[in-house]
């Protein structure tokens, strides 16, 4: 489980090279008391209050003015001190803080220590927002110390200079962040294709209820529709929108705006379902969508119930296009579906999950789930590369 810090530490957050300013951090139960003994403000009392930026100077052991500083208490047990960036200034301030009871610590140690203590709290916070058993179980593991323990043992490896082992464990954690960042925030899965290809029908099928209007008229969906769901315990947000047309071919201004919105969401997608009608086949619209930035792409051949067995020019061209896209790595997978019979639905859901969550996780595995966990991993990876 987590450790409660009993000592108060001081560490330099900025690099030990000459710079305009240096930033020191004092953390621990006696942070305010120690800093208050070591400084005098230009105005007012030396007593600090939360989030108020104060200007003043340090006092040396003879109570004489020393370095000019800016002080801010950012939490009840954390104070930031900004001073001149030369080494002499920060050394003098650290000396005074240590003389008054702080323990000097490297920034890496200090950040790591706090991470361990806060991970359980962060996991507890996120647990209240978790929407599936699977994500709840992963967060429970982190609350019970999976990630904190892994950080601690990586830190020990770093201290023992076992960089190769530390590096491979850091890289493994780094890969798991793609899962960790989606324990609360859903993966965006966007359905796109030309008008009438069957996007809204497939959205309804994937959701299990009739969310979007389905109609034989092309251009039925105009604005974006998005709905939360979960596949195999992973939170998913499905997005349906206007059918894309070739550039400049929108029926009217409203449709053009709808197409722009859909293209924007394609750019933000974690997974794009690119729909192609099994009967009308491959079009320039598909080329347009593929030239756009997008997430992992699954090609979905819709209306398989209407596909004619005999080879037509269209179906031949579609088969050719699909073979080329697969060999170029432009699509991760191809799935055939029918919204009428439900054919291919299970396979499509499994493919979406396989594309979004390629790592297999075991119970108790460490999973970083906040940006700052990733920052810690990347900072350490940079140190050993
Ligand atoms: N036979 C068959 N018809 C389908 C299938 N999927 C969709 N359709 C029909 O195709 C037409 C268009 O379906 P929609 O789901 O509205 O298509 P869309 O891509 O959302 O169309 P827009 O919103 O206009 O861009 C409707 O008449 C559907 O009933 C399918 O798998 N098989
Ligand atoms: Mg639609």
């Amino acid at each position: 489980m987590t450790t409660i810090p009993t000592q108060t530490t001081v560490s330099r957050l900025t690099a030990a090279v000459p710079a305009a300013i240096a930033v020191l951090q004092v953390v621990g139960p006696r942070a305010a008391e120690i800093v208050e003994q070591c400084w005098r403000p230009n105005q007012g009392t030396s007593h600090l209050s939360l989030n108020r930026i104060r200007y003043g100077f340090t006092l040396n052991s003879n109570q004489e003015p020393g370095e000019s500083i800016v002080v801010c208490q950012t939490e009840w047990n954390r104070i930031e001190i900004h001073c001149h960036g030369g080494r002499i200034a920060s050394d003098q301030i650290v000396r005074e803080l240590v003389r008054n009871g702080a323990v000097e610590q490297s920034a890496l140690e200090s950040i790591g220590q706090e991470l361990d203590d806060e991970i359980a709290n962060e996991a507890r916070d996120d647990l209240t927002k978790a929407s599936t058993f699977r994500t709840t179980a992963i967060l429970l593991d982190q609350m019970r110390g999976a990630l904190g323990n892994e950080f601690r043992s990586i830190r020990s490896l770093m201290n023992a200079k076992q960089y190769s082992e530390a590096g491979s464990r850091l890289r493994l954690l780094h890969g798991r962040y793609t899962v960790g960042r989606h324990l609360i925030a859903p993966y965006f899965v966007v359905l796109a294709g030309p008008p009438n290809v069957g996007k809204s029908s497939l959205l309804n099928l994937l959701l299990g209820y009739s969310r979007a209007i389905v109609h034989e008229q092309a251009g039925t969906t105009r604005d974006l529709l998005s709905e939360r769901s979960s596949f195999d315990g992973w939170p998913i947000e499905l997005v349906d929108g206007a059918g894309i047309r070739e550039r400049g071919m929108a029926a009217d201004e409203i449709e053009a705006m709808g197409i722009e919105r859909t293209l924007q969401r394609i750019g933000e997608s974690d997974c794009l379902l690119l729909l192609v009608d099994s009967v009308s086949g491959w079009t320039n619209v598909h080329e347009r969508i593929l030239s756009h930035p997008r997430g992992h792409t699954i090609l979905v051949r819709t209306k398989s119930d209407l596909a004619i067995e005999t080879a037509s020019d269209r179906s031949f061209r579609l088969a050719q296009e699909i073979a080329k896209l697969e060999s170029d790595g432009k699509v991760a997978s191809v799935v055939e579906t029918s919204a009428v019979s439900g054919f291919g639905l299970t396979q499509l859901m499994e493919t979406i999950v396989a594309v979004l969550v390629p790592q297999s996780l075991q119970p108790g595995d460490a999973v970083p789930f906040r940006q700052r966990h990733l920052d810690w991993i990347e900072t350490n990876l940079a140190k050993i590369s």
Side-chain angles (χ1 to χ4, degrees), residues 117-346:
D117 296 333
E118 285 192 41
I119 287 167
N121 289 334
E122 289 167 335
R124 195 175 302 122
D125 279 353
D126 284 3
L127 268 168
T128 61
K129 300 173 212 141
S131 57
T132 73
F133 281 125
R134 191 192 277 276
T135 52
T136 301
I138 294 172
L139 283 165
L140 269 173
D141 283 341
Q142 312 319 308
M143 196 185 89
R144 292 178 182 137
L147 184 62
N149 291 339
E150 183 63 4
F151 277 177
R152 246 189 303 279
S153 75
I154 290 173
R155 223 168 20 248
S156 306
L157 288 168
M158 302 275 291
N159 289 340
K161 299 195 170 20
Q162 293 181 27
Y163 297 128
S164 153
E165 170 71 6
S168 60
R169 287 170 62 173
L170 284 164
R171 277 186 290 276
L172 185 70
L173 283 185
H174 196 271
R176 288 188 188 152
Y177 182 65
T178 57
V179 173
R181 66 196 285 258
H182 288 296
L183 296 178
I184 306 297
Y187 293 94
F188 285 113
V189 176
V190 177
L191 296 102
N196 217 35
V197 69
K199 300 176 295 297
S200 300
S201 304
L202 192 59
L203 172 86
N204 291 344
L205 210 60
L206 288 168
L207 288 172
Y209 64 96
S210 181
R211 170 69 178 85
I213 298 172
V214 167
H215 198 276
E216 62 188 15
Q217 188 180 314
T220 300
T221 311
R222 304 198 124 196
D223 211 342
L224 289 172
L225 274 172
S226 66
E227 207 61 54
R228 287 282 289 264
S229 186
S230 66
F231 294 171
D232 197 25
W234 300 107
I236 303 275
E237 186 160 328
L238 289 163
V239 183
D240 177 25
I244 312 287
R245 295 191 195 265
E246 285 184 57
R247 240 182 222 94
M249 298 299 281
D252 54 38
E253 203 182 329
I254 299 173
E255 190 180 83
M257 288 160 77
I259 291 174
E260 270 317 306
R261 286 185 174 199
T262 307
L263 287 171
Q264 194 189 336
R265 297 310 291 270
I266 290 172
E268 296 159 359
S269 63
D270 296 298
C271 174
L272 171 70
L273 304 184
L274 177 60
L275 274 60
V276 51
D277 189 316
S278 296
V279 179
S280 44
W282 193 254
T283 66
N284 290 339
V285 165
H286 294 100
E287 300 288 350
R288 183 180 183 191
I289 296 171
L290 281 178
S291 69
H292 209 268
R294 65 207 141 80
H296 302 289
T297 304
I298 299 173
L299 193 87
V300 184
R301 294 182 59 162
T302 59
K303 310 187 188 180
S304 70
D305 54 291
L306 297 180
I308 316 155
E309 286 300 315
T310 52
S312 68
D313 281 355
R314 275 185 188 155
S315 64
F316 184 66
R317 181 170 173 220
L318 179 55
Q320 269 189 327
E321 282 298 339
I322 290 175
K324 190 159 163 290
L325 291 170
E326 283 190 297
S327 72
D328 292 350
K330 287 191 174 170
V331 298
S333 210
V334 181
V335 180
E336 207 170 325
T337 61
S338 165
V340 173
S341 68
F343 173 78
L345 185 68
T346 309

Side-chain angles (χ1 to χ4, degrees), residues 13 16 22 25 46 52 60 74 80 109 123 137 180 209 215 218 285 292 314 320 327 332 340 354 370 380-381 383-384:
L13 296 187
Q25 176 179 259
S46 58
R52 232 184 102 200
N60 66 19
T74 55
E80 263 185 28
E109 280 173 334
Y209 64 96
H215 198 276
V285 165
H292 209 268
R314 275 185 188 155
Q320 269 189 327
S327 72
V340 173
R370 290 276 176 108
N380 283 283
L381 273 172
K383 278 181 191 291
I384 60 181

